[in-house]
Amino acid sequence: MTNLLIWTEVILHLIVFIMLVIAVSFIILDSIRNIDNGNISILTLVSNALLLLVIKEVIWTVLRFFRKEKFSLSPFIYVGVISGIREILFLSIQKTVEKGNELNITLEMLINAFVVFLLVGAYYIFKKARISAGEDS
């Protein structure tokens, strides 16, 4: 039974890895195609770049699983920070476009900024703990 569970986990990680690589390919191809058509804005390009960074961190987490390396919290903190910054960028553009809903958008931006601040603080504490435990240099 244990072997079945282990193989199931390996197969699921492999499927996730393949899906993420396909997603990265589609995002890059879509960005290139839209640049050629002149339909892409700088915000969309930055958003796609940040999304690629998020996917890259998840891919590295899957690869660490295949290499049987220790689980690390760092990639998830990176993903949270990048996602928060990405959302703040979108909200700032939305605030510029939509004039009637500014208070809600501003509140959402402040909450996202606070979450990013907390995640950066968590990363700092995590890094300090690893250094004092002798696990990081």
Side-chain angles (χ1 to χ4, degrees):
M1 183 66 174
T2 306
N3 283 339
L4 177 65
L5 291 176
I6 291 172
W7 276 106
T8 303
E9 185 178 24
V10 168
I11 290 169
L12 287 175
H13 273 85
L14 186 60
I15 291 169
V16 167
F17 177 79
I18 292 167
M19 290 173 67
L20 289 170
V21 170
I22 290 170
V24 165
S25 302
F26 280 136
I27 292 168
I28 292 171
L29 289 174
D30 185 57
S31 295
I32 292 171
R33 191 185 73 230
N34 285 328
I35 286 175
D36 288 344
N37 296 336
N39 293 334
I40 198 163
S41 69
I42 295 297
L43 178 67
T44 306
L45 201 56
V46 169
S47 172
N48 287 350
L50 292 174
L51 183 58
L52 288 173
L53 286 175
V54 167
I55 294 172
K56 175 200 69 92
E57 288 300 329
V58 177
I59 287 173
W60 275 112
T61 302
V62 172
L63 288 175
R64 279 189 204 100
F65 167 80
F66 285 125
R67 290 189 207 145
K68 299 185 185 325
E69 292 179 6
K70 269 176 58 176
F71 174 79
S72 177
L73 190 60
S74 300
F76 297 100
I77 295 175
Y78 297 154
V79 165
V81 170
I82 293 168
S83 297
I85 292 170
R86 186 173 181 255
E87 184 67 21
I88 290 170
L89 285 172
F90 271 118
L91 288 170
S92 65
I93 293 299
Q94 186 178 2
K95 185 177 177 182
T96 305
V97 173
E98 296 179 13
K99 294 297 181 191
N101 206 8
E102 291 181 16
L103 183 60
N104 288 342
I105 293 172
T106 302
L107 187 59
E108 276 188 70
M109 287 173 64
L110 287 172
I111 290 170
N112 276 303
F114 182 68
V115 168
V116 168
F117 177 74
L118 286 177
L119 287 170
V120 169
Y123 179 74
Y124 176 77
I125 292 169
F126 174 73
K127 218 40 176 165
K128 283 292 221 185
R130 286 185 58 122
I131 288 171
S132 35
E135 296 176 10
D136 221 356
S137 54

